[in-house]
Amino acid sequence: MQKDKTWLFEQMPIPKAVATLAIPTVLSQLVMVLYNLADTFFVGLLNDPIQNAAVTLAAPVLLAFNAINNLFGVGSSSMMSRALGRKDYDSVKRSSAFGFYGSIISGVIFSLLCVISGSALLKVLGADSTTMEATLGYMRWAVYLGAAPSILNVVMAQLVRAEGAAMHAGIGTMSGCFLNMILDPIFILVFHMGAEGAGLATFLSNCAACLYFMVLLYRKRGRTYVCIHPKLFTFRKDIVKGICAVGVPASIQNLLNVTGMTILNYLAAGYGTDVVAAMGIAQKIYMVPMNINMGISQGIMPLVSYTYSAKQYQRMKETIWFCARVVVTLITLMAILIYIFAQGLITLFMNHAVIIDYGEQFLHGFTLGMPFLCIDFLAVGIFQAVGLGKAALIFAIMRKIILEIPALLLLNALFPLYGLVYAQTCAEVVLALSAVLVLRHLFRQWQADEQVNGQVVCPVEGS
């Protein structure tokens, strides 16, 4: 088993290794978008801005799931891949068990907190007397009951991917997506449940995906390093520290993203329900290239983690540069196409003249920052892969607290409504330049270290 696992990381040609890891990861990331796109599409067929706004207003809470996903998924998978590079197979198994049980416990706690907060949470999200009932209906299934399976689905995909089984990770998440696309029209259109039906479809689909992973681990027992035996769930210091060194900054990074989206939706809500609905549709379309970008960045993380820990620096650098060329070219082309066909894309989701006009303008603003965003995402993925969680956190703080949120407030004041969608572009230009400088510095350190004595210059935090 060990020889089969290390072939991909150590000897497979880099383009093939990247494709093996990144393509299924991209597909699984797109699945997360398709969950929401399917909800938005079928709810949009009702031509009811209130129902569509409900899905949009609940989006920050669903995005908050990623805070837990990152803590136990990104943190544990990074720890697993680094341990594989050191041939420390006991730590690999214990890290996977910690990620599995930690995600379940945290998902249940998250649900309870949302239930307890009740209408107060809905008001913070921007719901008012018009959209309150529809938003609550969607969250009842997608969040109150659905947090744990939604989080566990993503975390288990990360754990499986950490040992190179990216295809199985993709199949697991895609199975839930296909079920969601089947159930959405049944609950929304046939049973006339509206946004609540979309939430129910999402809940059942995530449960099905979790079931796939459980069956997969049962069938691969003895042939996988992913272990969910309760006896291996431990708070051993090196395991917790190694996971949290990457997972906690990644989690905080996501919470900052949720904060930014909440502020954006709150400011947009001040302009009316039509604006909220249009903003939600534009965000969902924008999430397609963004998640492709994220999928490539996360897909190469096991390879970067392994080669870094195994001190195969040249292979690591070649992997990173290859991915940089691919992702910048791909995302730039997608940005151009979305900009050109913005009106038609919005029309696919709702044939409402006012919403189409708003949505087209919003998409034009969002697309300008895409080429810069992919550089930032790749840099953060590298930081997480080599255990430099603090560097990833610094970039997250720069993106949201220092740059994007102040830009939202300033541009909305200077250019009411339409200024909102250019805030992220302003932030990403600065971050892309910073990412290039930081990566250049790290590469020089690794190269100097490789030439002198083969020792790691940049220490892996917590490992």
Side-chain angles (χ1 to χ4, degrees), residues 382-420:
I382 294 167
F383 298 151
Q384 292 172 341
V386 302
L388 296 175
K390 290 181 181 178
L393 178 59
I394 290 172
F395 265 63
I397 293 173
M398 285 179 60
R399 179 191 295 114
K400 294 298 176 181
I401 303 299
I402 298 176
L403 297 171
E404 186 175 325
I405 293 177
L408 279 172
L409 300 174
L410 177 62
L411 292 177
N412 186 52
L414 295 176
F415 311 101
L417 179 57
Y418 295 106
L420 292 173

Coordinates of all heavy atoms in Angstrom, one line a residue, residues 382-420:
I382 N -0.5 27.3 -0.7 CA 0.9 26.9 -0.5 C 1.2 27.1 1.0 O 1.9 26.2 1.6 CB 1.8 27.7 -1.4 CG1 1.6 27.3 -2.8 CG2 3.3 27.4 -1.0 CD1 2.3 28.3 -3.8
F383 N 0.8 28.2 1.6 CA 1.1 28.4 3.0 C 0.5 27.3 3.9 O 1.1 26.8 4.8 CB 0.5 29.8 3.4 CG 1.1 31.0 2.7 CD1 0.4 32.1 2.5 CD2 2.4 31.0 2.3 CE1 0.9 33.2 1.9 CE2 3.0 32.1 1.6 CZ 2.2 33.2 1.4
Q384 N -0.7 27.0 3.6 CA -1.4 25.9 4.3 C -0.8 24.6 4.1 O -0.6 23.8 5.1 CB -2.9 25.9 3.9 CG -3.7 27.1 4.3 CD -5.1 27.1 3.7 OE1 -5.4 26.4 2.8 NE2 -6.0 27.9 4.3
A385 N -0.3 24.3 2.9 CA 0.3 23.0 2.6 C 1.6 22.8 3.4 O 1.9 21.7 3.8 CB 0.6 22.9 1.1
V386 N 2.4 23.8 3.5 CA 3.7 23.7 4.2 C 3.6 24.0 5.7 O 4.6 24.0 6.4 CB 4.8 24.5 3.5 CG1 4.9 24.2 2.1 CG2 4.5 26.0 3.7
G387 N 2.4 24.3 6.2 CA 2.2 24.5 7.6 C 2.4 25.9 8.1 O 2.4 26.2 9.3
L388 N 2.5 26.8 7.1 CA 2.6 28.2 7.5 C 1.2 28.9 7.7 O 0.8 29.8 6.9 CB 3.5 29.0 6.5 CG 4.9 28.5 6.4 CD1 5.6 29.2 5.2 CD2 5.7 28.7 7.7
G389 N 0.5 28.4 8.7 CA -0.9 28.9 8.9 C -0.9 30.4 9.2 O -1.9 31.1 8.8
K390 N 0.1 30.9 9.9 CA 0.1 32.3 10.3 C 0.2 33.2 9.0 O -0.5 34.3 9.0 CB 1.2 32.6 11.2 CG 1.0 32.0 12.6 CD 2.2 32.4 13.5 CE 2.0 31.8 14.9 NZ 3.1 32.1 15.8
A391 N 0.9 32.8 8.1 CA 1.0 33.6 6.8 C -0.3 33.6 6.1 O -0.7 34.7 5.6 CB 2.1 33.0 5.9
A392 N -1.0 32.5 6.1 CA -2.3 32.4 5.5 C -3.3 33.4 6.2 O -4.1 34.0 5.6 CB -2.9 31.0 5.5
L393 N -3.2 33.4 7.5 CA -4.1 34.2 8.4 C -3.8 35.7 8.1 O -4.7 36.5 8.0 CB -3.9 33.9 9.8 CG -4.7 34.7 10.8 CD1 -6.2 34.6 10.5 CD2 -4.4 34.3 12.3
I394 N -2.5 36.1 8.0 CA -2.2 37.5 7.7 C -2.8 37.9 6.4 O -3.3 39.0 6.3 CB -0.6 37.6 7.7 CG1 -0.1 37.5 9.1 CG2 -0.2 39.0 7.1 CD1 1.5 37.4 9.2
F395 N -2.7 37.1 5.4 CA -3.3 37.4 4.1 C -4.9 37.6 4.2 O -5.5 38.4 3.6 CB -3.0 36.3 3.1 CG -1.8 36.7 2.2 CD1 -0.6 36.8 2.8 CD2 -1.9 36.9 0.9 CE1 0.6 37.1 2.1 CE2 -0.8 37.2 0.1 CZ 0.5 37.3 0.7
A396 N -5.5 36.7 5.1 CA -6.9 36.8 5.3 C -7.3 38.1 6.0 O -8.3 38.8 5.6 CB -7.4 35.6 6.1
I397 N -6.5 38.5 6.9 CA -6.8 39.8 7.7 C -6.6 40.9 6.7 O -7.4 41.9 6.7 CB -5.8 39.9 8.9 CG1 -6.2 38.8 9.9 CG2 -5.9 41.3 9.5 CD1 -5.3 38.7 11.1
M398 N -5.5 40.9 5.9 CA -5.3 41.9 4.9 C -6.5 42.0 4.0 O -7.0 43.2 3.7 CB -4.0 41.7 4.1 CG -2.7 41.9 4.9 SD -1.3 41.5 3.9 CE -1.5 42.7 2.5
R399 N -7.0 40.9 3.5 CA -8.0 40.9 2.5 C -9.3 41.5 3.0 O -9.9 42.4 2.3 CB -8.3 39.5 2.0 CG -9.4 39.4 0.9 CD -9.9 38.0 0.6 NE -8.9 37.2 0.0 CZ -8.4 36.1 0.6 NH1 -8.7 35.8 1.8 NH2 -7.5 35.5 -0.1
K400 N -9.7 41.1 4.2 CA -11.1 41.5 4.7 C -11.0 42.7 5.6 O -11.7 43.7 5.3 CB -11.7 40.3 5.4 CG -12.0 39.1 4.5 CD -13.0 39.5 3.4 CE -13.3 38.4 2.5 NZ -14.2 38.7 1.4
I401 N -10.2 42.6 6.6 CA -10.2 43.7 7.6 C -9.6 45.0 7.2 O -10.1 46.1 7.3 CB -9.5 43.2 8.9 CG1 -10.2 41.9 9.5 CG2 -9.6 44.3 10.0 CD1 -11.7 42.1 9.8
I402 N -8.4 44.8 6.5 CA -7.6 46.0 6.2 C -8.1 46.6 4.8 O -8.1 47.8 4.6 CB -6.1 45.7 6.1 CG1 -5.6 45.2 7.5 CG2 -5.3 46.9 5.6 CD1 -4.2 44.8 7.6
L403 N -8.4 45.7 3.9 CA -8.7 46.2 2.5 C -10.2 46.1 2.1 O -10.8 47.2 1.8 CB -7.9 45.3 1.5 CG -6.3 45.4 1.7 CD1 -5.6 44.4 0.8 CD2 -5.9 46.9 1.3
E404 N -10.8 44.9 2.1 CA -12.1 44.8 1.5 C -13.2 45.5 2.2 O -14.0 46.2 1.6 CB -12.4 43.3 1.2 CG -13.7 43.1 0.4 CD -14.0 41.7 0.1 OE1 -13.0 40.9 -0.1 OE2 -15.2 41.3 0.1
I405 N -13.3 45.2 3.5 CA -14.5 45.8 4.3 C -14.4 47.3 4.3 O -15.4 48.0 4.0 CB -14.5 45.2 5.7 CG1 -14.9 43.7 5.6 CG2 -15.5 46.0 6.6 CD1 -14.9 43.0 7.0
P406 N -13.3 47.9 4.6 CA -13.2 49.4 4.4 C -13.6 49.9 3.0 O -14.2 50.9 2.9 CB -11.8 49.7 4.8 CG -11.3 48.6 5.7 CD -12.0 47.4 5.1
A407 N -13.1 49.1 2.0 CA -13.4 49.5 0.6 C -14.9 49.4 0.4 O -15.5 50.2 -0.4 CB -12.7 48.6 -0.4
L408 N -15.6 48.4 1.0 CA -17.1 48.3 0.8 C -17.8 49.5 1.3 O -18.6 50.1 0.7 CB -17.6 47.1 1.6 CG -17.5 45.7 0.9 CD1 -17.8 44.6 1.9 CD2 -18.3 45.6 -0.3
L409 N -17.4 50.0 2.5 CA -18.0 51.1 3.1 C -17.7 52.4 2.4 O -18.6 53.2 2.1 CB -17.6 51.3 4.6 CG -17.9 50.1 5.5 CD1 -17.3 50.2 6.9 CD2 -19.4 49.9 5.6
L410 N -16.5 52.6 1.9 CA -16.0 53.8 1.2 C -16.7 53.9 -0.1 O -17.2 54.9 -0.5 CB -14.5 53.8 1.1 CG -13.9 55.0 0.4 CD1 -14.3 56.3 1.1 CD2 -12.4 54.9 0.2
L411 N -16.6 52.8 -0.9 CA -17.1 52.8 -2.3 C -18.6 52.9 -2.3 O -19.2 53.5 -3.2 CB -16.6 51.6 -3.1 CG -15.1 51.5 -3.3 CD1 -14.8 50.2 -4.1 CD2 -14.7 52.7 -4.2
N412 N -19.3 52.3 -1.3 CA -20.7 52.4 -1.3 C -21.2 53.9 -1.0 O -22.2 54.3 -1.5 CB -21.3 51.5 -0.2 CG -22.8 51.5 -0.2 OD1 -23.5 51.3 -1.2 ND2 -23.4 51.8 1.0
A413 N -20.3 54.6 -0.2 CA -20.6 56.0 0.1 C -20.3 56.9 -1.1 O -21.1 57.8 -1.4 CB -19.8 56.4 1.3
L414 N -19.3 56.6 -1.8 CA -18.9 57.4 -3.0 C -19.7 57.1 -4.2 O -20.1 58.0 -5.0 CB -17.4 57.2 -3.3 CG -16.4 57.7 -2.3 CD1 -15.0 57.3 -2.7 CD2 -16.5 59.2 -2.1
F415 N -20.0 55.8 -4.4 CA -20.8 55.3 -5.6 C -21.9 54.4 -5.1 O -21.7 53.1 -5.1 CB -19.9 54.6 -6.6 CG -18.6 55.3 -6.9 CD1 -17.4 55.0 -6.3 CD2 -18.6 56.4 -7.8 CE1 -16.3 55.7 -6.6 CE2 -17.5 57.1 -8.2 CZ -16.3 56.8 -7.5
P416 N -23.0 54.9 -4.6 CA -24.0 54.1 -4.0 C -24.4 52.8 -4.8 O -24.6 52.9 -6.0 CB -25.2 55.1 -3.9 CG -24.5 56.4 -3.8 CD -23.3 56.3 -4.7
L417 N -24.5 51.7 -4.1 CA -24.8 50.4 -4.6 C -23.7 49.8 -5.5 O -23.1 48.8 -5.2 CB -26.2 50.4 -5.4 CG -26.6 49.1 -6.0 CD1 -26.7 48.0 -4.9 CD2 -27.9 49.2 -6.8
Y418 N -23.5 50.4 -6.7 CA -22.6 49.8 -7.7 C -21.1 49.8 -7.2 O -20.3 49.0 -7.7 CB -22.7 50.5 -9.0 CG -24.1 50.3 -9.6 CD1 -25.0 51.3 -9.7 CD2 -24.4 49.0 -10.2 CE1 -26.2 51.1 -10.2 CE2 -25.7 48.8 -10.7 CZ -26.6 49.9 -10.7 OH -27.8 49.7 -11.3
G419 N -20.8 50.7 -6.3 CA -19.4 50.7 -5.7 C -19.1 49.4 -4.9 O -18.0 49.0 -4.8
L420 N -20.2 48.7 -4.4 CA -20.0 47.6 -3.6 C -19.2 46.5 -4.3 O -18.4 45.8 -3.7 CB -21.3 47.0 -3.1 CG -22.2 47.9 -2.2 CD1 -23.5 47.3 -2.0 CD2 -21.4 48.0 -0.8

